[in-house]
Amino acid sequence: MWRPWAKSTVKIHDTSSSPFSFPTFKDIQNLCTEDHPSSHIKKSSSIFHRVRVANTFLRSLALSLPELKPGPEPENNASPTPNKTTTPPLQQQPSITIPGTDKRIVVYYTSLRVVRSTFEDCKIVLSILRGFRVLIDERDLSMDSSFLNELNQIFSNGGGCGRKLTLPRVFIGGRYMGGAEETRQLNESGELKKIIEGLPVADSGVCEVCCGYRFILCGQCNGSHKLYIEKAGFKSCTACNENGLISLP
């Protein structure tokens, strides 16, 4: 009833040489095998060679470019240098005064529109000061260059020769108050009104001679600033400024 025991004809492959008998596991077999010690030696020597080459290149680069070398670190106790200079408050600024102007306001400005921001600042400051209806001595640098020399002399004598002179410049009661920004701040805080109190009130009328411009044409040269003299030719007029104008008190 049972078939007789017979020898199988199926061939069994020898698996002693490899733990995997299927071709699909060849890659896994290669990954699982350990590398030979000689391969580690070759890899490590290759890495060390690259490191030596890189260090040699960096040293040669540092010698050829000395400006890339790091400088000495600053001391901890060194005081940091400020990035931007700030204008000291009015009470800390050096005392700059104009003798003989204790009873009026003196404003150095320009009526030229060459620099729009400067012209606008001068216009705003004069508008603020004229609103108090006090005596204002308006000195236009564009009408007479002697005002510029006068202003430079004032600041050099008052210890402000290092500052950059910009317009306008306001003096109240002979004391320097600042420029356009300081005048705006004083007016907004109400301090300007307190400072101006006590100054004489200005006349409401306009001068019939200069019509408020404080300058008239020179009668000798008729505003040309040149005079013709026989046997000498043309000479500069000494009675007026470079614009042929005479300043009125």
Side-chain angles (χ1 to χ4, degrees), residues 12-209:
I12 301 174
H13 296 279
D14 186 13
T15 59
S16 60
S17 62
S18 174
F20 301 97
S21 60
F22 297 96
T24 57
F25 290 97
K26 288 182 179 181
D27 295 337
I28 299 178
Q29 180 181 355
N30 294 332
L31 293 174
C32 293
T33 56
E34 295 181 358
D35 295 337
H36 195 272
S38 62
S39 64
H40 290 288
I41 296 174
K42 292 180 180 180
K43 291 180 180 179
S44 61
S45 61
S46 177
I47 293 174
F48 290 146
H49 176 69
R50 294 177 183 176
V51 172
R52 287 196 299 270
V53 171
N55 291 335
T56 305
F57 174 73
L58 292 177
R59 283 196 298 268
S60 61
L61 182 63
L63 292 175
S64 61
L65 299 175
E67 62 272 10
L68 297 180
K69 296 181 180 180
E73 297 182 357
E75 299 180 359
N76 295 331
N77 56 357
S79 59
T81 303
N83 296 330
K84 181 175 66 174
T85 58
T86 57
T87 304
L90 185 61
Q91 58 272 16
Q92 296 181 5
Q93 292 182 1
S95 177
I96 301 175
T97 59
I98 302 179
T101 59
D102 300 338
K103 297 298 181 180
R104 64 178 180 268
I105 299 175
V106 178
V107 181
Y108 290 90
Y109 73 104
T110 179
S111 59
L112 292 180
R113 300 173 182 259
V114 177
V115 182
R116 181 175 180 180
S117 59
T118 302
F119 174 77
E120 292 295 334
D121 288 341
C122 295
K123 183 179 178 181
I124 292 173
V125 167
L126 288 175
S127 178
I128 293 174
L129 297 176
R130 287 170 182 171
F132 292 99
R133 300 185 180 277
V134 295
L135 186 60
I136 303 176
D137 186 356
E138 301 176 5
R139 303 183 180 183
D140 191 351
L141 274 67
S142 63
M143 300 290 285
D144 194 344
S145 62
S146 63
F147 290 149
L148 177 59
N149 300 330
E150 181 181 315
L151 188 61
N152 289 326
Q153 186 67 24
I154 291 171
F155 278 93
S156 62
N157 293 337
C161 57
R163 72 176 70 217
K164 181 181 179 181
L165 290 179
T166 57
L167 298 177
R169 293 292 166 176
V170 181
F171 295 80
I172 300 179
R175 179 188 174 191
Y176 174 65
M177 305 305 298
E181 187 62 28
E182 292 82 0
T183 305
R184 290 195 195 99
Q185 293 178 0
L186 291 173
N187 184 48
E188 292 174 358
S189 63
E191 294 295 327
L192 184 60
K193 183 178 180 180
K194 298 178 181 178
I195 298 174
I196 293 179
E197 288 180 352
L199 295 181
V201 179
D203 296 334
S204 58
V206 180
C207 178
E208 297 180 356
V209 178

